[in-house]
Amino acid sequence: AQSVAQPEDQVNVAEGNPLTVKCTYSVSGNPYLFWYVQYPNRGLQFLLKYITGDNLVKGSYGFEAEFNKSQTSFHLKKPSALVSDSALYFCAVRAPSGGSYIPTFGRGTSLIVHP
Amino acid sequence: NAGVTQTPKFQVLKTGQSMTLQCAQDMNHNSMYWYRQDPGMGLRLIYYSASEGTTDKGEVPNGYNVSRLNKREFSLRLESAAPSQTSVYFCASSESPLAPQETQYFGPGTRLLVL
């Protein structure tokens, strides 16, 4: 079975500082990993994904994520946080084959960027 | 393109009442999904439809039924609403049913309150 853990319910960061939102996963085989963002009263929006290749993936709004196979992690990062980045962030994993292609989502991490 | 649309945006029901949540997508996607989002629980899959004419149970199907009316539309029905079904419901779609690298596209959600 596949699973995703987002160990922090909330992350607080000052505007202009770097931010990291953590995600670890468990899946058989090489994973497909996703980050989505949810702004208040909105649906989820795709940010970025890792399929294969370069471990550093760049996505929308200046976000990037680093795939680390040995640590089974896919942390979301941004060099300089904006107040407008405040939102709920979800990590998701999909198994590449041999099982359900349905993604499993983490519980979400609330990012709060203080002015 | 409107993407994924959901109706209604908000609904209040009394225990035992029934209702249908509507979802439509205009991206010619094959797969569609219904999720519920509860605080601290993340997104949980209720039902999904890999392609037109097929539906399958997800993680939390009890108390719900679905209909894939055509390729565009996927409805979720609560036959006898219970307070435990108070939640935010999201519909999503993706292009291919057997491609785990596919991104999902989400609707804006339906907030349901069952009294």
Side-chain angles (χ1 to χ4, degrees):
Chain A
Q2 60 197 38
S3 65
V4 171
Q6 293 181 242
E8 301 154 318
D9 291 334
Q10 185 172 301
V11 170
N12 291 277
V13 64
E15 188 173 31
N17 283 1
L19 69 88
T20 299
V21 182
K22 296 180 180 178
C23 171
T24 58
Y25 66 89
S26 174
V27 70
S28 297
N30 294 319
Y32 294 151
L33 294 157
F34 301 78
W35 275 104
Y36 290 85
V37 60
Q38 183 183 27
Y39 298 103
N41 299 315
R42 304 284 296 276
L44 278 69
Q45 298 177 31
F46 169 73
L47 267 182
L48 51 80
K49 65 183 176 183
Y50 171 81
I51 303 301
T52 187
D54 194 347
N55 289 344
L56 185 63
V57 179
K58 294 188 183 297
S60 306
Y61 313 120
F63 283 93
E64 57 189 28
E66 187 169 10
F67 171 64
N68 188 318
K69 188 172 183 178
S70 63
Q71 297 186 3
T72 62
S73 68
F74 188 56
H75 300 332
L76 182 70
K77 300 182 179 183
K78 188 174 182 181
S80 179
L82 300 172
V83 172
S84 58
D85 292 330
S86 299
L88 191 57
Y89 291 80
F90 289 94
C91 182
V93 65
R94 275 174 144 167
S97 63
S100 171
Y101 60 89
I102 303 300
T104 299
F105 285 83
R107 297 194 304 175
T109 298
S110 178
L111 172 67
I112 300 174
V113 181
H114 302 278
Chain B
N1 285 352
V4 180
T5 57
Q6 292 182 237
T7 56
K9 292 185 179 179
F10 181 73
Q11 184 73 44
V12 179
L13 291 178
K14 294 181 180 179
T15 297
Q17 287 185 318
S18 62
M19 79 162 294
T20 300
L21 282 65
Q22 305 286 355
C23 173
Q25 51 90 10
D26 62 1
M27 296 173 283
N28 201 35
H29 285 173
N30 288 290
S31 299
M32 298 184 74
Y33 314 78
W34 275 106
Y35 291 91
R36 60 178 288 173
Q37 183 182 28
D38 303 291
M41 302 291 290
L43 286 173
R44 293 183 292 171
L45 183 66
I46 305 171
Y47 271 93
Y48 64 99
S49 171
S51 58
E52 186 178 357
T54 69
T55 60
D56 286 285
K57 295 179 180 179
E59 181 185 355
V60 289
N62 291 345
Y64 305 95
N65 284 300
V66 290
S67 295
R68 183 74 183 266
L69 304 170
N70 47 55
K71 192 172 185 179
R72 288 187 63 250
E73 298 172 289
F74 187 40
S75 63
L76 177 71
R77 183 160 178 83
L78 287 69
E79 291 291 351
S80 179
S84 61
Q85 293 178 304
T86 293
S87 187
V88 182
Y89 292 86
F90 289 101
C91 178
S93 70
S94 63
E95 185 171 353
S96 174
L98 295 175
Q101 69 271 24
E102 290 288 335
T103 299
Q104 288 178 298
Y105 295 83
F106 287 81
T110 295
R111 294 181 179 276
L112 177 64
L113 175 62
V114 183
L115 301 174

